[in-house]
Amino acid sequence: MFPELVIATSNEGKYKEFCEIIHASCENFADRIIFAPEISRLIVEESGHSYAENSLLKARAWSQKSGLPCIADDSGLEVDALDGAPGIFSARTAREKGLSESEWLLSRLDGVENRKARFTAALCLCVPEKFTLITEGYCYGKISTIARGSNGFGYDPVFLPDGYGKTFAELPGTVKNNISHRADAFRKISLLLK
Ligand code: IMP
């Protein structure tokens, strides 16, 4: 579909996760998927008020800089018992307290019965001079009472996706990348393109 596609991230783990998602759900999406962390020197402030706005800010800046189609995401975890927090502040909330994401969340939910949560990801595909598409994907689950597993990142050790009995950090990457919020958002982008 695209000869070249840039993944707008300087995080190699996220880049690899995107490559797996793209290959698993749409084989001919891009001939070459590019990791160009040097572009992140143009620092894009995540100043939007929603996941969608932040993904648009990133995808637009990276595609202007590279002149190529770019995909950017913005994601977070929404916890029912915390009225949807940490949401778009997921990356910084625990860091500001000097804790890992899992430590922060387990301490906030100590003794709390309602453990329902969902991951949300907005994905923006920006094709210079042509079009911009934004979709949102979800993954529903619960927060465990202890952290388990060593795969993944962020809240993965405490997130139990519905129907699996294991945390994201215990599940193989191939499983996570089939059911994740980013995979859901990506499938919606490829459906729109078709
Ligand atoms: P961003 O989308 O790179 O701004 O990251 C948002 C933050 O949300 C991350 O730093 C994590 O704390 C959290 N997050 C988003 N997606 C995931 C995931 O798939 N697993 C675990 N944590 C996630």
Side-chain angles (χ1 to χ4, degrees):
M1 223 176 270
F2 301 103
E4 293 179 301
L5 175 74
V6 176
I7 308 297
T9 183
S10 53
N11 175 334
E12 198 173 359
K14 198 180 249 192
Y15 164 75
K16 286 184 178 153
E17 201 174 291
F18 263 112
C19 289
E20 272 192 43
I21 290 171
I22 293 172
H23 286 135
S25 43
C26 187
E27 231 174 62
N28 59 352
F29 194 80
D31 296 333
R32 198 161 80 88
I33 303 176
I34 300 170
F35 180 50
E38 65 281 1
I39 296 180
S40 75
R41 261 187 262 122
L42 107 149
I43 291 164
V44 185
E45 204 193 324
E46 293 183 22
S47 55
H49 296 97
S50 64
Y51 301 109
E53 259 186 83
N54 282 333
S55 69
L56 175 63
L57 286 170
K58 284 187 251 182
R60 202 187 264 152
W62 282 63
S63 66
Q64 277 167 357
K65 188 82 180 169
S66 64
L68 294 170
C70 283
I71 265 195
D73 83 326
D74 192 62
S75 52
L77 180 71
E78 290 143 28
V79 179
D80 275 19
L82 303 179
D83 295 324
I88 61 168
F89 305 112
S90 290
R92 64 185 95 142
T93 304
R95 208 187 313 135
E96 281 169 1
K97 304 256 183 267
L99 298 170
S100 73
E101 279 97 332
S102 300
E103 286 167 344
W104 173 79
L105 188 53
L106 290 180
S107 70
R108 286 299 312 272
L109 293 187
D110 191 21
V112 173
E113 213 166 290
N114 176 7
R115 321 275 308 178
K116 279 191 195 163
R118 78 168 182 190
F119 273 121
T120 298
L123 221 59
C124 178
L125 169 66
C126 197
V127 182
E129 319 282 323
K130 291 201 172 136
F131 61 85
T132 298
L133 281 178
I134 304 178
T135 59
E136 215 165 76
Y138 309 97
C139 181
Y140 291 83
K142 288 193 177 58
I143 304 304
S144 60
T145 49
I146 48 164
R148 292 199 313 252
S150 53
N151 298 330
F153 66 99
Y155 298 93
D156 282 347
V158 292
F159 185 76
L160 294 158
D162 286 343
Y164 288 82
K166 285 186 173 175
T167 68
F168 260 172
E170 292 178 298
L171 290 166
T174 45
V175 175
K176 178 186 173 187
N177 291 331
N178 190 34
I179 61 171
S180 78
H181 41 315
R182 266 180 288 281
D184 186 34
F186 181 76
R187 277 191 284 266
K188 288 172 180 165
I189 287 233
S190 53
L191 268 178
L192 282 174
L193 286 172
K194 279 175 196 159

